[in-house]
Amino acid sequence: MAFALPVWLVIQEELLGHGAADHDAPSFFDELDDEALYQAFHLTRPCIAFIADSVRIRMKKVALKKPPLSVDAMVMVTLNYYAHGICSTAILERVGLCRSDCPVVINTVSGVIAGMSDQFISFPLIREAKANVAFKIQKFCGIPNVLGILAPAHFKIRASPYEKDTFRSFINTLCYTSVVSQIICDIDGNILSVEKCCVGSTFEQEMWDSSFKGREMEEELHGPYWVIGGKGYNLSKHVLTPVSEPAHDNEVRFNEAHAKIHNVMRTTLGSMKRRFRCLMQLGYAQEGSLDKKSNVIKACSVLHNIAKKFSVPPPPVAGKIEPLHPGKRPSVPVEINNEALKARQELIDGNFSVAASSEDAPSADITEEDV
């Protein structure tokens, strides 16, 4: 993982140095056995303990009013909501909280965990990290110089059809109401970047152009690397899209490789939504107040990475996994970037000709269990 060992050691040192872990103090989580913990939170005991300790440190640093519950109780309620999309009566009774008070607790903890994204959501920055990420992706699909997979992540919300203008803005390309965030992941399913929380009808390209990561990439701050993008993005010097009408076998092979690596994002989002079922339905949203939804999405992305660090498997697949959304293209044709078009063609000819393909065949597919 991009953040793994260095950040892990820093956090552990901070926990020990500040005495914030309070390992000897009784915890609400201690009252549940391991199986009950996983059923309630879709996480394991060591993982939950690390999350609670990290939240405790963060809450000591930020200027918050004294919370009505202990940190463990607040984390317990919030993780239970993330796992199931609703706070269970048993958990609320255990911590002594009324259901009407849940939103305040969940919003507080979500803001705290979202604020930890600078520690646990990390894009490769140093040369060695970039080379390692790109090597693993090339080994998997044959496409060189790629730092991650870029995609819009849609999360269902409820919007009132009586407010017609607002309702329309939330309808996405699959014809349901959603909010959408821009996510980049690596070949192992780690979240490298998560930005934005926009209405579901937002164009992917619009999000990319206005995002921090998009500007960094296009301004050459990350070097001569690509991110893999679907049909909703414009081909550029740093966003590698499939060939819309392949004219020969090289381009067909490239498109197959592109689809293979792009599917890693589908697997990653499927894994994250299974673990955090709140992402299957984020409740009601209004166009002018998406910050709370954004915090939940970002917090679940942080916890997804932490869960992977602890090797916690997600719950098993139940039903069909939601597909990635088809690209939303503007009605006006987009002018092709000739420099990017040439760069993509050189990549295809150099890596997906018959000779190049026979020299180095890519590895096997990644499965749901891998992420």
Side-chain angles (χ1 to χ4, degrees):
M1 298 176 68
F3 65 84
L5 187 57
V7 170
W8 176 259
L9 294 176
V10 168
I11 295 296
Q12 292 287 16
E13 182 179 349
E14 189 170 15
L15 288 175
L16 295 173
H18 288 78
D22 296 332
H23 291 297
D24 295 331
S27 167
F28 283 101
F29 297 105
D30 294 337
E31 300 171 11
L32 301 175
D33 61 30
D34 290 348
E35 183 178 353
L37 278 178
Y38 187 83
Q39 291 300 320
F41 311 109
H42 297 161
L43 298 166
T44 57
R45 190 178 305 278
C47 185
I48 291 171
F50 179 76
I51 292 165
D53 291 340
S54 300
V55 170
R56 190 176 293 108
I57 291 172
R58 191 85 179 190
M59 289 185 73
K60 283 186 175 182
K61 289 184 174 181
V62 297
L64 292 172
K65 294 180 180 179
K66 186 174 180 180
L69 299 174
S70 69
V71 172
D72 272 0
M74 294 176 72
V75 170
M76 174 174 273
V77 169
T78 304
L79 293 185
N80 182 239
Y81 165 74
Y82 289 164
H84 299 283
I86 188 172
C87 298
S88 72
T89 301
I91 294 296
L92 294 179
E93 290 177 349
R94 188 177 293 273
V95 302
L97 187 69
C98 296
R99 190 170 296 278
S100 60
D101 294 326
C102 287
V104 174
V105 171
I106 292 168
N107 290 336
T108 299
V109 176
S110 294
V112 171
I113 298 177
M116 293 157 51
S117 60
D118 57 339
Q119 295 173 309
F120 295 103
I121 298 177
S122 176
F123 201 74
L125 296 177
I126 64 174
R127 180 183 301 177
E128 291 77 10
K130 292 176 182 178
N132 181 58
V133 171
F135 172 78
K136 292 178 72 173
I137 289 176
Q138 183 171 9
K139 185 177 180 182
F140 174 71
C141 68
I143 303 177
N145 302 322
V146 173
L147 290 183
I149 304 102
L150 167 70
H154 284 260
F155 306 98
K156 292 180 180 179
I157 56 95
R158 296 184 180 95
S160 173
Y162 297 106
E163 300 175 10
K164 292 184 179 179
D165 291 339
T166 300
F167 181 78
R168 282 195 212 97
S169 71
F170 283 106
I171 298 176
N172 61 34
T173 49
L174 293 183
C175 299
Y176 64 80
T177 52
S178 70
V179 293
V180 57
S181 292
Q182 175 183 286
I183 288 183
I184 301 174
C185 75
D186 66 12
I187 187 64
D188 298 313
N190 301 301
I191 305 299
L192 304 180
S193 173
V194 54
E195 291 188 55
K196 305 288 195 176
C197 184
C198 306
V199 295
S201 64
T202 307
F203 288 93
E204 291 95 310
Q205 186 63 41
E206 179 184 328
M207 286 195 295
W208 175 251
D209 290 338
S210 62
S211 69
F212 291 111
K213 201 56 63 185
R215 290 196 294 268
E216 288 176 0
M217 291 289 291
E218 300 301 345
E219 291 173 6
E220 304 282 351
L221 297 184
H222 292 282
Y225 288 96
W226 307 85
V227 289
I228 294 292
K231 295 179 180 178
Y233 296 95
N234 300 333
L235 174 68
S236 72
K237 290 188 295 182
H238 297 286
V239 177
L240 187 60
T241 61
V243 178
S244 57
E245 297 180 3
H248 49 73
D249 290 346
N250 293 2
E251 293 178 349
V252 171
R253 281 189 287 270
F254 166 75
N255 276 6
E256 290 172 348
H258 188 284
K260 181 179 181 180
I261 183 64
H262 195 244
N263 194 55
V264 171
M265 178 63 82
R266 173 178 170 271
T267 305
T268 298
L269 292 177
S271 173
M272 192 162 75
K273 288 181 178 182
R274 294 204 312 279
R275 189 188 304 280
F276 306 116
R277 290 176 185 162
C278 69
L279 298 177
M280 300 294 288
Q281 177 54 260
L282 279 174
Y284 281 94
Q286 295 178 341
E287 189 170 351
S289 58
L290 297 177
D291 288 348
K292 291 178 182 177
K293 306 301 181 190
S294 178
N295 278 346
V296 171
I297 293 166
K298 189 171 286 188
C300 288
S301 299
V302 167
L303 297 180
H304 167 84
N305 281 358
I306 292 176
K308 286 184 65 61
K309 172 62 185 175
F310 280 86
S311 301
V312 184
V317 178
K320 187 177 180 181
I321 296 176
E322 181 182 320
L324 287 178
H325 285 247
K328 182 178 180 182
R329 302 293 297 176
S331 56
V332 179
V334 177
E335 184 178 351
I336 298 176
N337 183 320
N338 289 327
E339 184 179 349
L341 195 61
K342 180 181 177 182
R344 183 179 67 180
Q345 196 59 52
E346 289 176 351
L347 182 152
I348 292 172
D349 293 341
N351 295 274
F352 293 94
S353 65
V354 174
S357 299
S358 62
E359 288 177 5
D360 187 19
S363 62
D365 289 339
I366 285 181
T367 66
E368 289 290 318
E369 289 73 19
D370 294 323
V371 298

